[in-house]
Amino acid sequence: MWNRMSRRRLKSSRGSALVEAAFVLIPFAAMLIGIVDFGQFLFIHQALVERARYAARWGAVTDPTNTTAIQNMVLYNQPTASTGSGYFGLTASMVQVTTQDSGTDDYRLVVNITNYPYQVFSLFISGTYYGPNVTISVPLGFTG
């Protein structure tokens, strides 16, 4: 009698382990993909911040008025234009280099990166998004 009841229960519960595993694994996989997406976004953003800082420091030391060379430092890590694509798909229109308050004590070189794209792979929100602006400002001192 006992043996018959346990066999019935075993037959009726065979697929439940698979269903329970799916209930756990699908949300876990979605969270894992979300973590990877967030990590990728943080990596790209921080890499662009560091590249803009490097270009702004380079421009402050060499020639802050040569905005094209500073822009190329952000895009290609060299002062001259390259034939390849820019850093993380940046284009020249995404990088602006300006100077502010020339002739004052607050003379600055400003490097601004706008509308840089990054790809999201998470379910329901996958696609290309644009990151927040990166603005780096380096003091140049009084030159008057």
Side-chain angles (χ1 to χ4, degrees):
M1 177 88 145
W2 173 259
N3 199 11
R4 249 191 272 160
M5 289 177 73
S6 63
R7 283 184 187 169
R8 283 184 194 158
R9 283 188 192 155
L10 184 62
K11 284 183 180 181
S12 67
S13 66
R14 281 187 179 165
S16 66
L18 185 61
V19 171
E20 290 171 3
F23 281 142
V24 171
L25 291 177
I26 290 172
F28 177 73
M31 287 188 338
L32 190 62
I33 291 170
I35 289 169
V36 169
D37 279 340
F38 188 68
Q40 173 190 330
F41 163 73
L42 286 179
F43 173 77
I44 291 171
H45 182 75
Q46 187 60 31
L48 291 176
V49 167
E50 287 302 314
R51 181 65 73 96
R53 283 182 185 160
Y54 176 75
R57 284 191 302 260
W58 181 86
V61 170
T62 57
D63 181 11
T65 60
N66 191 351
T67 59
T68 303
I70 298 168
Q71 186 181 48
N72 287 333
M73 287 298 289
V74 173
L75 294 171
Y76 312 112
N77 203 26
Q78 63 187 19
T80 57
S82 177
T83 57
S85 64
Y87 195 51
F88 287 113
L90 289 179
T91 62
S93 65
M94 296 176 191
V95 180
Q96 297 84 33
V97 179
T98 58
T99 55
Q100 292 178 344
D101 299 325
S102 179
T104 67
D105 288 337
D106 198 27
Y107 184 38
R108 298 186 157 279
L109 174 67
V110 179
V111 176
N112 199 6
I113 300 174
T114 57
N115 297 325
Y116 63 89
Y118 64 95
Q119 186 72 31
V120 173
F121 300 106
S122 294
L123 301 173
F124 306 116
I125 62 168
S126 64
T128 301
Y129 291 88
Y130 298 97
N133 295 346
V134 174
T135 302
I136 304 298
S137 177
V138 177
L140 298 172
F142 182 69
T143 59

